[in-house]
Amino acid sequence: MLIALSLLSPALFCAVLVASGFGPRRVGKPVRNVVCALSPAAVVPAVFLALVGDGVALDLPWMLFGSRLQVDGVARPLLLIAAILYGAALIALSWRRSPDRENRNAVLVGFLLASYLGNIGVYLAADVASFYLWFAIMSFSAVGLIIHYRTAKARRATVFYLVMSVLSETALLVGFLTLVASGAHLIDEVEGAWADSDVATITMVALLIGFGIKAGLVPLHVWLPLAHPAAPPAASAVLSGAMVKAGLVGWLRFFPPVETVDQISVAGWILVALGLLGAFGGALVGVLHNDPKVVLAYSTVSQMGFITATVGVSLIRPDLAPAVTAAALLYAVHHGLAKGTLFLAVPVLQKMRAGVSLTATCLATLGAALAVVGLPFTSGSFAKYSSKYAVDEFTLVGIGMDTWLTIVAVGSAALLLRLGYILWTDESDRDLAPDGQLLAVLITALAGATLPWWIGRNWLGESWPSLGLPTIWPMIWPAAAGLILGAILIKARVPAPPAGDVGTAAEHAVEAMVPRGGNLLNTTHERTHSIGERLIAMARRAGESTNAVIEGGELRWRGWQVSGVAVLLVMGLILTVMIVSGGWLR
């Protein structure tokens, strides 16, 4: 029942929001306002599910080819964190004194609820088909979060995100089809499918690309530093805190740590190499930027690189897999709450009037920043200690993996110093009174300071770090080195590469090729001019004969409400066909 309520609750809120757009304005507007105000309640069932539903499963034999949803050791901590982050984001959006225009704010709330539905579905999915379905819902619902402001920057970021999402979905479809063809209907059957597959290399490449895009794996990370500054802060909080973790879940689900499949070991080395590249490279690029959300986006690339490298170790050394998986999940919990707090705090720090509320926000932001750096007594110190302890037997080019991960904290400290400098020197007008945005920051900050300790100890079986000098010193010196590095870079005023780095470079390369392509197309057109004229004449005659019909239809379908109904009907028809056909085929 709790699994069903966790999924039906956000779906119901979405449905009511959509329906409110079709009635009279005097009715629809109050309904939208009430639904938006109550929307944070949509996450409550998932909170209870995570707290009391360990091991609970729900079978849906009528859905697709037979679906299964389950709360296991991987899903449980991430489900709780996702519910808290999305709930805080909905509070920040809906409980504001001066929100966006009501219609646009309601649309953003609707997309946020749809993204939440897909996000927790990814965590709970226990079969391949439903995992792909929820992953797609999450990915494409996020488009509405990025495009929200309708600025040129938002449109450009959305184009990048859509291109990368389609590439991700296509790669995942290839990887999943090969696994299913080898006998993996349930995720529990994936290990046997790898062993029986004749195209394991194709599967490996497809899943690395598909999940790597979502997890911000270098060089597939290009959408992250473009999407975050374009999206509203509440959307950035869930994009960075919860959605990118879908890539981590994908690797944990579909790359079983076994020694019998060579491709999995190869994937492990790739994840270690690209993870460390992202961990160091993301920090070095991000510390040069002046937009606080771009800095935080590159921080996410760096932190996800940290997690990715540890997961790669578990594929190379299957004997370390249990400890690495627990450590990676703990780090994901810590990072999600800390980074969500920082994204939510940016507009509050830029706009909040001086007073107790601003002081509380500063303290919450400072706590989250220190946790990301991993200073002693923070949740970050617990997460990083667990990760380094889990991989301390693994060496790379003669250096212990725990040492590599320790050095990553240097870049984290430099990034957070840069963020503090940008916010401290910001001269925006401070006209924001306390509202839902402040409450959202305090909720995630409090959760970030407490929940990782509790989840790590009680759900993941991790031991708290000792307080001796050998444990504390590796947490302190990287922070000190990072502060020095960050101060030098701030003082030197090193120019920053464009946000999106390799993606922006690729964009410029394509633009440079357009004139040549245009000349080639013009030449081709001239050579086929006569054929083109005949086709145009035929099209003109056909168009004249149907012009009246088209104009009449256009008048009836011009309103967004009617077109929205059409989209819903088409989606409902597709879903019905999938469900019914899946039931028959089963």
Side-chain angles (χ1 to χ4, degrees), residues 156-181:
R156 177 170 176 260
T158 303
V159 169
F160 267 88
Y161 178 79
L162 274 173
V163 170
M164 298 305 291
S165 292
V166 171
L167 176 59
S168 172
E169 298 294 328
T170 304
L172 289 180
L173 183 60
V174 172
F176 289 164
L177 286 176
T178 58
L179 288 175
V180 171

Side-chain angles (χ1 to χ4, degrees), residues 292 345-346 349-350 365 418-426 430:
V346 166
L349 291 174
Q350 290 176 324
T365 306
R418 182 70 175 189
L419 176 68
Y421 173 79
I422 295 170
L423 294 175
W424 181 264
T425 57
D426 185 88
R430 299 187 176 276

Side-chain angles (χ1 to χ4, degrees), residues 51 76 80 382 450-459 464:
L51 292 175
R76 193 182 186 192
L80 179 59
F382 184 20
T450 56
L451 280 182
W453 296 94
W454 185 76
I455 290 174
R457 183 68 177 268
N458 296 284
W459 290 4
W464 292 343

Side-chain angles (χ1 to χ4, degrees), residues 126 128 178-180 182-198 200 203 207 250-264 314-315 318 321:
V128 178
T178 58
L179 288 175
V180 171
S182 300
H185 169 62
L186 297 176
I187 292 177
D188 288 342
E189 301 166 341
V190 165
E191 182 175 337
W194 275 99
D196 297 337
S197 177
D198 295 327
T203 305
L207 296 183
W251 285 328
L252 293 177
R253 300 286 196 206
F254 293 95
F255 278 128
V258 294
E259 297 178 350
T260 56
V261 182
D262 294 337
Q263 287 82 358
I264 290 181
S314 71
L315 303 184

